[in-house]
C-alpha cells in the first residue's frame, strides 16, 4: 500500500524524505516553495541529488509537487494567466530535476467568464506547458465553492477532452465529499467511483488525497479531519482504501495536526482501515 503525507522541505528538500520516514510513509507530497507567493523553485544540485538518493534508498515514492495556491488556470485575466503558466512551467521543471513524477494543480476560478470559457482557458493554459518526459500534471478535484471549477466530474472530463497534454487526475476525498459526492458508506463509495469511471475514467486517475471532512456532504466547505473521525467516517475511508479500482494508487494525506495527533497517527490509521 502506498500511503504518505504532505511533508516540508524546510532546511532542504531531502529533509522531506526523512520526515516521511518518521511518519512511516512510503510516498508523499511537497511544495517546492511557499504556496502563498509567486516564487520559482530553487534547489541546489547537492540537495537534488540527496533527495533522489534518499527517496530511492528508502523506497519512498511516488512524490507529488503541489503547485502554488495562486495559480489560476481558468482565469480570463491575461496577466494572471501568464503568471500561472510560468509558475507551472517552473514546477514541472523542478519535478524533472528532482525525479518527482507528478505536479498537482487546481483548475482555479473562472471569475465570471463562465464554466465553458473557464475550462477552455484551463486547457489552453495547460497546453502551453513544455512538460518533461516522466512528469505528469495532475488536475485536482475541488470542493466546488463560488466560481471555482473542478468540483464536478464534468469539469475534470471537460479539461481532459479539451487539452492536448497527457493529463492525469488527483481526487481529494474531502473535496469530493464537500462538492456533493457521498463517500460515507461502501455503497456510496462504489456509486461515486462508478460515476467517476463513467464520466472521466479510472485510467487517468493517478493519485488520491486521502482526507476526512469536518463538514457534511455537499456543503462546499473544505476543512480536513483525521481519518475516520469526520463526516466521511470509518466505513467510508475503509471503503476508499480497499476499493479495487483505487487500492493500488498512492494515497497522500493532508490531514490536520491537532488533538495530539498528526500524520503518523493517520498513516497508521489508514493501514488499520486498509485491512478492515
Amino acid at each position: 500500500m502506498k500511503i504518505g503525507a504532505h511533508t516540508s522541505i524546510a532546511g532542504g528538500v531531502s529533509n522531506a524524505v526523512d520526515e516521511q520516514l518518521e511518519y512511516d510513509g512510503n510516498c508523499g507530497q511537497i511544495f517546492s516553495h511557499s504556496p502563498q507567493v509567486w516564487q520559482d523553485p530553487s534547489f541546489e544540485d547537492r540537495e537534488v541529488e540527496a533527495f533522489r538518493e534518499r527517496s530511492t534508498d528508502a523506497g519512498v515514492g511516488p512524490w507529488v509537487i503541489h503547485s502554488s495556491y495562486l495559480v489560476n488556470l481558468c482565469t480570463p485575466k491575461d496577466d494572471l494567466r501568464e503568471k500561472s503558466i510560468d509558475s507551472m512551467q517552473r514546477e514541472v521543471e523542478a519535478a524533472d530535476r528532482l525525479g518527482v513524477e507528478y505536479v498537482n494543480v487546481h483548475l482555479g476560478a473562472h471569475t465570471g467568464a463562465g464554466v465553458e470559457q473557464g475550462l477552455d482557458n484551463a486547457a489552453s493554459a495547460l497546453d502551453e506547458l513544455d512538460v518533461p518526459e516522466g512528469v505528469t500534471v495532475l488536475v485536482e478535484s475541488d470542493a466546488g465553492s463560488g466560481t471555482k471549477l473542478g468540483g464536478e466530474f464534468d469539469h475534470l472530463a471537460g479539461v481532459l477532452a479539451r487539452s492536448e497534454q497527457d493529463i492525469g487526475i488527483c481526487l481529494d476525498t474531502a473535496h469530493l465529499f464537500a462538492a456533493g459526492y457521498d463517500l460515507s458508506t461502501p455503497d456510496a463509495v462504489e456509486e461515486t467511483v462508478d460515476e467517476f469511471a463513467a464520466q472521466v475514467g479510472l485510467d487517468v486517475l493517478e493519485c488520491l488525497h486521502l482526507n476526512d471532512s469536518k463538514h457534511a456532504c455537499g456543503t462546499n466547505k473544505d476543512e480536513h479531519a483525521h481519518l475516520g473521525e469526520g463526516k466521511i467516517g470509518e466505513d467510508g475511508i475503509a471503503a476508499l482504501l480497499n476499493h479495487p479500482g483505487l487500492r493500488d494508487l498512492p494515497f497522500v494525506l493532508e490531514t490536520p495536526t491537532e488533538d495530539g495527533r498528526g500524520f503518523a497517527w493517520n498513516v497508521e490509521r489508514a493501514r488499520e482501515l486498509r485491512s478492515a
Side-chain angles (χ1 to χ4, degrees), residues 174-257:
H175 294 174
L176 286 178
F177 194 68
Y181 294 97
D182 192 9
L183 299 170
S184 61
T185 67
D187 286 347
V189 168
E190 189 70 35
E191 182 177 344
T192 294
V193 173
D194 285 350
E195 187 173 350
F196 176 84
Q199 295 188 39
V200 188
L202 285 174
D203 59 318
V204 297
L205 182 57
E206 300 284 350
C207 178
L208 277 93
H209 286 170
L210 186 66
N211 303 299
D212 210 324
S213 174
K214 291 186 177 181
H215 302 283
C217 184
T219 59
N220 301 125
K221 294 182 178 180
D222 178 17
E223 192 174 3
H224 301 174
H226 294 305
L227 299 185
E229 300 204 349
K231 299 297 184 180
I232 295 176
E234 288 187 7
D235 290 347
I237 296 294
L240 287 161
L241 287 163
N242 290 287
H243 191 284
L246 309 178
R247 60 183 287 118
D248 293 332
L249 296 171
F251 294 91
V252 177
L253 299 166
E254 298 171 326
T255 46
T257 298

Side-chain angles (χ1 to χ4, degrees), residues 110-123:
H110 65 71
T111 62
V115 171
E116 296 304 313
Q117 186 61 55
L119 294 175
D120 286 346
N121 293 346

Side-chain angles (χ1 to χ4, degrees), residues 12-32:
V13 65
S14 61
N15 290 342
V17 184
D18 298 331
E19 184 180 344
Q20 197 65 248
L21 295 174
E22 291 177 8
Y23 303 143
D24 200 22
N26 56 18
C27 66
Q29 180 175 269
I30 59 172
F31 290 122
S32 68

Side-chain angles (χ1 to χ4, degrees), residues 26 50 66 68 86 90 110 115 121 133 156-157 195 198 203 259:
N26 56 18
H66 195 298
S68 169
D86 181 68
R90 302 289 84 78
H110 65 71
V115 171
N121 293 346
E133 185 177 354
L156 304 178
E195 187 173 350
D203 59 318
D259 304 325

Side-chain angles (χ1 to χ4, degrees), residues 9-15 17 42-55 97-98:
I9 65 168
V13 65
S14 61
N15 290 342
V17 184
S42 179
F43 301 118
E44 296 181 5
D45 289 343
R46 61 180 179 82
E47 271 299 308
V48 169
E49 183 179 354
F51 177 84
R52 282 177 167 268
E53 288 182 353
R54 291 185 192 182
S55 293
R97 285 189 69 204
L98 292 166

Side-chain angles (χ1 to χ4, degrees), residues 10-104:
V13 65
S14 61
N15 290 342
V17 184
D18 298 331
E19 184 180 344
Q20 197 65 248
L21 295 174
E22 291 177 8
Y23 303 143
D24 200 22
N26 56 18
C27 66
Q29 180 175 269
I30 59 172
F31 290 122
S32 68
H33 57 84
S34 170
Q36 308 286 359
V37 297
W38 295 113
Q39 181 179 338
D40 289 343
S42 179
F43 301 118
E44 296 181 5
D45 289 343
R46 61 180 179 82
E47 271 299 308
V48 169
E49 183 179 354
F51 177 84
R52 282 177 167 268
E53 288 182 353
R54 291 185 192 182
S55 293
T56 299
D57 292 346
V60 177
W63 284 96
V64 181
I65 289 177
H66 195 298
S67 65
S68 169
Y69 292 144
L70 301 180
V71 168
N72 186 347
L73 301 177
C74 294
T75 182
K77 300 176 182 177
D78 290 342
D79 57 342
L80 179 54
R81 174 186 171 85
E82 291 307 311
K83 285 182 178 180
S84 297
I85 292 170
D86 181 68
S87 178
M88 284 297 295
Q89 186 62 48
R90 302 289 84 78
E91 298 284 26
V92 296
E93 291 169 358
D96 186 43
R97 285 189 69 204
L98 292 166
V100 169
E101 293 91 333
Y102 302 114
V103 173
N104 184 76

